[in-house]
Amino acid sequence: MAQATSIPTLRLRDGVEIPQLGFGVFQVPPEDTQAVVEEALEVGYRHIDTAAAYRNERGVGAALAASGIPRDEVFVTTKLWNSQQGYESTLGASERSLERLGVDYVDLYLIHWPVPTEGRTLDTWRAFERIHTDGRARTIGVSNFRIEDLEMLEREATLQPTVNQIELHPHFHQAELRAWHLEHGIATEAWSPLAQGELLINETIASVAARRGRTPAQVILRWHLQLDNVVIPKTVTPARIRENFELFEFELSDDDMTEIAALDVGLRIGPEPATFVAP
């Protein structure tokens, strides 16, 4: 079994340390999840990101059990789906996620989307605070929250999110939101870090990759790490699982980072958080 000693961690505002590189299982078929996650763990990943909505928590749990890796050596994230928001429903949903994962606690529990039109964010967050206090989540955060959503929690909540997982890639930097995170002690975690593969054929990325003797995916993921983002690439291909892990023996120069920064065109490829209300 590979050792994950090379993965840097970020210390969250509550002292919990999160591996900066994780492995995402969005759109991994439930029947394939155990094998894919076992491969990732074998390579050395120690941060697995799933969600109730992905319907593959059981596969993640089976891989964790089969790996033989001590529970406290793998950072596990899952997320609450929109239809389960609300105080009591959140408490029930969290228990079902733990049961499917086969664990007593998750390391990070996230509200998957803000769903501001439903007005249940505060009740949901209060349930998250209880889940944290009860030891069922070591740390709690949010996903796809806008500044106005975070400001509401800042005004009304007892605990503040430690993480906001957002769409983030070289075509969509979210600079204003990331600056707000930095000012308020919230870690930025990037989903769709490769823009669903669209950026792998970008000429600028290809040029930087050629100079560094690396692949386009490695360059983009390294860019995230050097911005102090947590990043969770997803792939089911064993060679790419390993490729995406090989990020710690090279660095991008300031010029490389500047070239990639120039690619920002404000292009969101996922849903708009202000209006997304999928059941």
Side-chain angles (χ1 to χ4, degrees):
M1 177 64 65
Q3 298 298 313
T5 55
S6 62
I7 304 175
T9 63
L10 298 180
R11 183 176 293 272
L12 302 177
R13 64 192 302 162
D14 57 5
V16 171
E17 292 195 359
I18 182 171
Q20 200 178 353
L21 175 66
F23 184 78
V25 296
F26 175 59
Q27 292 184 335
V28 176
E31 63 272 18
D32 298 337
T33 301
Q34 179 177 350
V36 169
V37 174
E38 285 188 26
E39 178 72 23
L41 293 170
E42 177 66 30
V43 166
Y45 292 85
R46 293 295 183 268
H47 174 183
I48 308 299
D49 180 279
T50 184
Y54 303 167
R55 302 186 185 279
N56 56 21
E57 289 172 313
R58 289 192 188 279
V60 170
L64 294 172
S67 73
I69 302 170
R71 171 67 188 89
D72 62 0
E73 293 182 14
V74 183
F75 192 100
V76 179
T77 298
T78 194
K79 310 177 193 75
L80 175 83
W81 188 236
N82 303 344
S83 60
Q84 299 303 304
Q85 286 200 26
Y87 188 82
E88 293 295 340
S89 54
T90 293
L91 295 178
S94 71
E95 288 300 320
R96 290 190 292 276
S97 280
L98 292 176
E99 185 276 327
R100 289 189 291 266
L101 287 163
V103 297
D104 296 326
Y105 66 92
V106 291
D107 297 275
L108 174 61
Y109 197 32
L110 302 176
I111 300 177
H112 207 150
W113 291 89
V115 199
T117 56
E118 298 295 314
R120 293 180 290 173
T121 302
L122 282 178
D123 284 342
T124 301
W125 187 252
R126 291 186 179 110
F128 267 56
E129 292 176 332
R130 177 174 166 185
I131 290 163
H132 175 65
T133 299
D134 290 348
R136 290 175 288 167
R138 293 177 62 222
T139 193
I140 51 176
V142 295
S143 184
N144 301 299
F145 272 45
R146 306 162 299 162
I147 290 175
E148 49 263 59
D149 303 316
L150 296 168
E151 288 176 334
M152 179 181 63
L153 292 180
E154 187 178 43
R155 290 191 307 268
E156 303 289 343
T158 301
L159 298 177
Q160 293 301 306
T162 60
V163 173
N164 189 14
Q165 186 183 115
I166 59 174
E167 179 182 343
L168 183 58
H169 45 76
H171 276 166
F172 192 57
H173 287 201
Q174 300 232 56
E176 183 180 3
L177 180 54
R178 287 193 295 114
W180 199 97
H181 290 169
L182 182 62
E183 181 181 352
H184 293 82
I186 296 173
T188 298
E189 185 169 11
W191 64 259
S192 196
L194 306 175
Q196 296 183 356
E198 291 182 10
L199 282 158
L200 299 181
I201 58 173
N202 179 273
E203 290 184 2
T204 296
I205 298 294
S207 176
V208 174
R211 287 201 302 270
R212 297 295 160 208
R214 295 286 171 164
T215 67
Q218 288 172 330
V219 164
I220 296 169
L221 296 174
R222 184 70 205 181
W223 172 80
H224 281 284
L225 295 180
Q226 290 183 213
L227 289 178
D228 288 331
N229 298 334
V230 180
V231 63
I232 47 170
K234 166 259 174 178
T235 180
V236 298
T237 307
R240 289 178 181 166
I241 291 173
R242 188 170 297 277
E243 172 190 326
N244 290 347
F245 189 78
E246 295 172 349
L247 306 177
F248 308 112
E249 295 181 356
F250 77 104
E251 291 187 358
L252 301 177
S253 69
D254 290 344
D255 287 344
D256 295 336
M257 296 292 286
T258 298
E259 285 186 47
I260 296 171
L263 297 176
D264 186 20
V265 291
L267 180 63
R268 186 190 294 276
I269 60 176
E272 168 54 57
T275 56
F276 184 63
V277 293

